[in-house]
Amino acid sequence: MNVTFSSAEPLSLAADAVALPVGKDLAGIEAYESALGAGLADFAKSAGFSGSAGTALILPSLGRVAASTVILAGVGEAHVGDLRKAALKVGREARALGAASLVSALELDGQVAIEALSAGNYTFDRYKKEDDRKAALTDVTLPGDGSGVDAGAALVRAKWQSLARDLVNLPAADLYPESLAQWTRDHLGALEGVEVEVWDEDELAARNCVGIIAVGQGSVRQPRLIRATYRPENAKDHIALVGKGVTFDAGGLSLKPSPYMQTMRCDMGGSATVLAAFGAAVELGLPVALDVFVGAAENMVDGNSFKLGDVLTYNNGVTVEIHNTDAEGRLVLADCLIEACKVEGVNHLVDAATLTGACVIAVGPDFTALFTDDDTMATDMMAAAEAAGEGYWRLPLHAAYKSMLKADWAQIKNVGGRDAGATTAALFLQHFVDGPAWAHLDIAGSSFHEKGGNAYAAGATGEPVRSVINWIASKA
Ligand code: BES
Ligand code: ZN
Ligand code: ZN
């Protein structure tokens, strides 16, 4: 996407589409009546358009203005949240129109505009018939002179968010542990200063990564531990990122019912989040040492699947009794957390995972659940999410609930009870963290939306990639 800035009257600029802001109760619509026709407000009203944030009305320009199509974009109260919603909607409508060029007259920060238009414009159509695919935006014109706007940085952030969405949307037939590893070699390995290392099944066995092995052993697609490092000279902090990379979660022997399994290609959303945030941070040149660890496995049903009652003995000595093979994410993350804590100098550790259905029940699709004992991390991460326009909600990492994980035959079991399922999953992970300040992001609701809403098309959202980038930037 090329971005240019222009102080010219938006209605005079030629493009496939022009987006014009309209406030709550059609505030400001009269300004367009001389160009678009005196009946514009009445027409908008009769079409049910009121200017509320995230709604739009599409009008053919019929030669009245330089652009082919007019998008009246509801901006509601016109505060930054509403304007961001409007830009997302404009991006979506531009895609539905197949507009390659867009002039946006929305008055909002240039970087926010670029990121929101790009996220709205995203669609995953590579398996659709050629005729059914719509053109993406290639040229965007924003108001003003662009001073103080780092369009390049916004485009980098937008690009990695889209790459994360592609990864998550890919069917499990095409994205499995080794292909996720190859993606990492291709996309992160290509960046200057980045080293990528992949542990295959033999290496995993040699290193006793019992969780990744157990979860992956029911699949013909062999598991992987994917890691990448970045060591800039002027590093101000050292951050390790860990991601759940379950490329398909059938539930294992604790098999999921079909409706719950349908979207479980999304279960590597945590890995997509951390890989993309890592890539963006490197490309933005943030002076932070980074490590990323992804536990990649397919959780399947097979004669060789791991079983209920099995006991896993992790490298840090913790023994885990399996009570439900569908609580597999925490098992693969455990190996990664142990490895991340072994890296010398790491002082912050963040993991992201589509970990629990309980998280979706608790906070729904608009929030990532944040768990941490470190109040500074909580404050910084909430601020980073706020700036990205993404929802974070802190949930309790309540130590007293650790008793819910007590096992009969081993130290802990891999599930708690019905209560506080997202918290007991986080407390499980805590057993494998030793040293750095740590935060856990449960993105089960936020990273994938089965149905498209106002903000995102159906499927992967690319949340919370930009929040994680912002937080890394806050340490730089
Ligand atoms: N991958 C799921 C969690 C999930 C659910 C992600 C919905 C995205 C949307 C996870 O592996 C899982 O199945 N968790 C179980 C844990 C339970 C057995 C303790 C769950 O949430 O039901
Ligand atoms: Zn599961
Ligand atoms: Zn899972």
Side-chain angles (χ1 to χ4, degrees):
M1 199 162 95
N2 301 308
V3 178
T4 49
F5 292 87
S6 171
S7 303
E9 164 56 44
L11 294 177
S12 72
L13 296 170
D16 292 331
V18 60
L20 305 173
V22 175
K24 193 174 143 223
D25 300 325
L26 300 183
I29 198 169
E30 63 285 347
Y32 312 127
E33 294 208 322
S34 62
L36 294 172
L40 183 62
D42 287 340
F43 175 77
K45 235 176 260 162
S46 66
F49 175 73
S50 70
S52 63
T55 64
L57 181 64
I58 309 299
L59 306 167
S61 83
L62 303 175
R64 287 169 188 260
V65 301
S68 309
T69 302
V70 174
I71 303 173
L72 293 184
V75 297
E77 312 275 359
H79 53 65
V80 64
D82 277 358
L83 286 163
R84 197 193 297 270
K85 272 190 204 162
L88 278 161
K89 178 67 170 173
V90 169
R92 285 193 73 183
E93 292 296 342
R95 190 62 178 246
L97 290 165
S101 55
L102 171 78
V103 173
S104 170
L106 302 182
E107 290 288 345
L108 81 166
D109 174 81
Q111 279 181 247
V112 176
I114 292 165
E115 290 173 26
L117 286 169
S118 162
N121 200 239
Y122 175 90
T123 192
F124 186 76
D125 57 6
R126 71 177 69 170
Y127 297 91
K128 295 258 167 118
K129 215 167 66 181
E130 189 92 45
D131 300 353
D132 293 339
R133 292 186 213 157
K134 300 284 190 182
L137 280 174
T138 55
D139 292 280
V140 170
T141 305
L142 300 177
D145 61 8
S147 62
V149 179
D150 191 345
L155 288 167
V156 167
R157 294 152 54 88
K159 177 186 84 177
W160 286 98
Q161 180 177 5
S162 294
L163 285 170
R165 293 171 83 174
D166 282 346
L167 265 181
V168 174
N169 281 326
L170 276 170
D174 295 331
L175 191 89
Y176 43 90
E178 175 50 33
S179 63
L180 183 59
Q182 193 54 45
W183 184 98
T184 307
R185 293 184 195 103
D186 293 345
H187 289 82
L188 300 188
L191 299 170
E192 202 182 311
V194 174
E195 300 289 341
V196 174
E197 193 179 319
V198 178
W199 298 354
D200 66 7
E201 57 274 26
D202 296 333
E203 189 73 24
L204 288 167
R207 292 180 184 265
N208 199 42
C209 291
V210 290
I212 298 173
I213 292 169
V215 172
Q217 74 191 35
S219 174
V220 294
R221 301 292 197 186
Q222 294 294 326
R224 298 286 183 263
L225 186 146
I226 304 162
R227 56 177 302 185
T229 56
Y230 177 59
R231 297 283 181 272
E233 266 171 21
N234 51 348
K236 303 227 168 50
D237 196 10
H238 191 157
I239 295 170
L241 303 170
V242 163
K244 172 177 174 182
V246 175
T247 54
F248 189 71
D249 183 12
L253 293 179
S254 310
L255 191 64
K256 283 184 187 294
S258 285
Y260 291 96
M261 204 190 293
Q262 185 63 46
T263 57
M264 278 301 137
R265 68 178 184 285
C266 79
D267 215 19
M268 35 57 67
S271 67
T273 300
V274 296
L275 292 169
F278 179 104
V282 172
E283 211 174 322
L284 292 168
L286 299 179
V288 177
L290 293 171
D291 283 81
V292 68
F293 293 84
V294 164
E298 224 180 36
N299 191 22
M300 301 291 278
V301 186
D302 181 76
N304 196 42
S305 293
F306 75 125
K307 303 173 188 73
L308 291 87
D310 283 356
V311 174
L312 307 181
T313 302
Y314 280 90
N315 281 332
N316 66 346
V318 175
T319 54
V320 176
E321 189 175 305
I322 304 303
H323 280 238
N324 191 321
T325 61
D326 196 14
E328 84 298 339
R330 60 197 77 185
L331 301 175
V332 308
L333 289 169
D335 286 318
C336 294
L337 292 168
I338 292 170
E339 294 301 328
C341 290
K342 282 193 211 160
V343 177
E344 209 180 292
V346 169
N347 41 32
H348 288 103
L349 171 60
V350 175
D351 77 79
T354 48
L355 202 60
T356 65
C359 171
V360 189
I361 304 291
V363 298
D366 291 351
F367 294 93
T368 289
L370 164 65
F371 298 85
T372 182
D373 274 341
D374 189 297
D375 289 340
T376 307
M377 263 184 111
T379 307
D380 292 350
M381 295 188 97
M382 294 296 293
E386 170 83 26
E390 298 178 334
Y392 269 29
W393 202 271
R394 190 176 181 183
L395 292 184
L397 189 65
H398 186 51
Y401 292 169
K402 276 192 176 157
S403 62
M404 294 181 183
L405 293 169
K406 258 183 100 73
D408 289 335
W409 309 96
Q411 240 167 291
I412 52 173
K413 51 183 182 172
N414 75 327
V415 291
R418 256 172 57 86
D419 291 355
T423 288
T424 51
L427 289 167
F428 178 95
L429 298 179
Q430 197 169 32
H431 287 86
F432 303 91
V433 177
D434 183 21
W438 164 69
H440 159 60
L441 301 172
D442 195 332
I443 63 170
S446 59
S447 61
F448 191 92
H449 294 171
E450 209 168 334
K451 292 197 174 61
N454 260 338
Y456 300 109
T461 63
E463 290 203 16
V465 171
R466 288 177 308 106
S467 298
V468 176
I469 302 169
N470 283 355
W471 176 75
I472 297 171
S474 78
K475 303 282 138 207

